[in-house]
Amino acid sequence: MCGIIGLFIKNPELESQLGELVAPMLVQMSERGPDSAGIAVYRDPVDEGAAKLTVVSDDPDYDWAGVTARLQQAFGQHAACRPWVNHAVLTATATAHELERWFGVQYPELRITSSGTTIEIYKEKGAPREFIDRFQLQELSGSHAVCHTRMATESAVTTEHSHPFSTGLDLCLVHNGSLSNHNRLRAMLQRQGVAFQTDNDSEVAAGYLMWRLREGAALEEALEAALRDLDGFYTFAIGTREGFAVLRDPFGCKPAVLAETDDWAAMSSEFRAIATLPGVEDAKIWEPVPEQIYSWSRSR
């Protein structure tokens, strides 16, 4: 049992309040996931020709100033490293793959949580309320966010096993449920060059979507293929640069609620999280139909 949340801001005037809106939603999902919490937030797009990584250290006193110096030596004075608790966001004029390759060689002891042009992922083991306070989520701004509270069933309680998982540029996935064929899929995806950081079944789902997109599928096509290829019970929320999408397994075993107003679109494992949003009394509220893809995006 886990708690998942998605919030897409339709009214640009509310983007500065994204964190204030998401934090109480995450609190409401604490009982569904007391082990760890995480957020993928889409904000501050970098300039054309640049990229950003979010990285995490197990050392709370890591030398981020040293990372800044080496980053600027390699990519120029406009490169930056912005620490946040035990995470940091690196930006540089380079492709995401170039920045990833450089980082992997220079800092193999650190882990990349996200890569792209807008996405930032922060996650940590511990209670959701502690995560919110530690990372000061109320201060976040952005266009949309995907969040997760975890009750571990398939793998260890660690920061790296926490959600969201990101295996593609500006792409992330959070998952409530379990996949029964993740070991076979992992082996197939590894033969296709997909790398994994953990043994978590949810990371396999994220890797599967990235592989489908890499092969040329649109997001909806990738999710339709997932319905055929992923065995198990799941509700997914998927974040992209443009917005987010929701998908439930064919049996609808894991709960989900959707709601929409003129100002926002939201999903959660339980309505009590959505009930914290302003204007919810006027929202359209419904339970997503199994196997049907729901999505919101800037290009819609």
Side-chain angles (χ1 to χ4, degrees):
M1 182 172 73
C2 298
I4 60 177
I5 293 164
L7 181 62
F8 178 79
I9 302 298
K10 299 166 67 176
N11 180 356
E13 293 182 3
L14 293 179
E15 290 187 2
S16 63
Q17 302 176 40
L18 179 67
E20 296 175 21
L21 299 176
V22 162
M25 296 179 74
L26 205 56
V27 169
Q28 291 298 319
M29 291 295 96
S30 296
E31 293 177 359
R32 295 190 64 88
D35 298 338
S36 60
I39 182 171
V41 59
Y42 291 82
R43 63 172 185 165
D44 300 336
V46 295
D47 294 335
E48 185 175 356
K52 67 174 167 178
L53 306 181
T54 314
V55 302
V56 61
S57 170
D58 293 326
D59 179 2
D61 299 316
Y62 197 81
D63 179 21
W64 297 114
V67 176
T68 300
R70 293 173 70 177
L71 188 68
Q72 292 179 342
Q73 184 179 19
F75 295 99
Q77 290 301 306
H78 292 296
C81 172
R82 175 172 57 82
W84 198 10
V85 193
N86 60 336
H87 292 58
V89 176
L90 281 59
T91 57
T93 302
T95 68
H97 295 303
E98 289 170 344
L99 191 54
E100 286 179 31
R101 284 195 296 269
W102 177 86
F103 183 83
V105 171
Q106 299 295 325
Y107 296 99
E109 73 276 15
L110 302 182
R111 295 186 303 277
I112 297 173
T113 61
S114 65
S115 176
T117 58
T118 64
I119 189 173
E120 299 172 17
I121 289 183
Y122 305 95
K123 54 185 181 177
E124 184 60 278
K125 61 183 179 181
R129 286 180 182 271
E130 296 172 358
F131 173 76
I132 291 167
D133 291 341
R134 189 178 183 196
F135 285 84
Q136 300 177 315
L137 290 197
Q138 294 90 338
E139 297 183 7
L140 286 175
S141 61
S143 57
H144 56 294
V146 176
C147 311
H148 190 267
T149 64
R150 183 169 185 245
M151 181 178 290
T153 57
E154 296 294 324
S155 53
V157 179
T158 66
T159 298
E160 56 263 43
H161 284 86
S162 305
H163 303 212
F165 285 105
S166 179
T167 51
L169 300 183
D170 290 310
L171 177 73
C172 75
L173 176 143
V174 296
H175 172 207
N176 175 27
S178 60
L179 301 179
S180 58
N181 65 337
H182 62 97
N183 287 325
R184 178 176 60 80
L185 281 175
R186 183 191 307 275
M188 182 275 289
L189 291 169
Q190 286 174 329
R191 290 194 296 270
Q192 300 298 321
V194 179
F196 296 96
Q197 295 185 16
T198 75
D199 59 353
N200 192 298
D201 62 326
S202 304
E203 189 181 11
V204 173
Y208 174 88
L209 289 181
M210 183 277 289
W211 171 65
R212 284 289 186 185
L213 294 172
R214 190 186 71 188
E215 293 299 300
L219 179 60
E220 185 165 332
E221 293 172 327
L223 291 173
E224 289 172 349
L227 288 167
R228 299 191 301 268
D229 293 341
L230 302 184
D231 292 335
F233 304 131
Y234 49 83
T235 292
F236 293 139
I238 302 98
T240 70
R241 177 184 171 89
E242 293 79 20
F244 84 98
V246 175
L247 178 67
R248 298 174 78 196
D249 67 72
F251 301 99
C253 287
K254 295 301 178 179
V257 180
L258 297 175
E260 185 171 13
T261 71
D262 290 339
D263 289 330
W264 47 259
M267 72 82 56
S268 182
S269 298
E270 298 181 22
F271 175 72
R272 58 178 169 159
I274 294 173
T276 66
L277 293 171
V280 67
E281 62 275 5
D282 298 318
K284 175 188 175 184
I285 302 167
W286 73 101
E287 179 181 356
V289 176
E291 295 188 282
Q292 184 167 330
I293 300 166
Y294 299 85
S295 64
W296 291 264
S297 70
R298 294 295 177 209
S299 58
R300 195 177 153 188

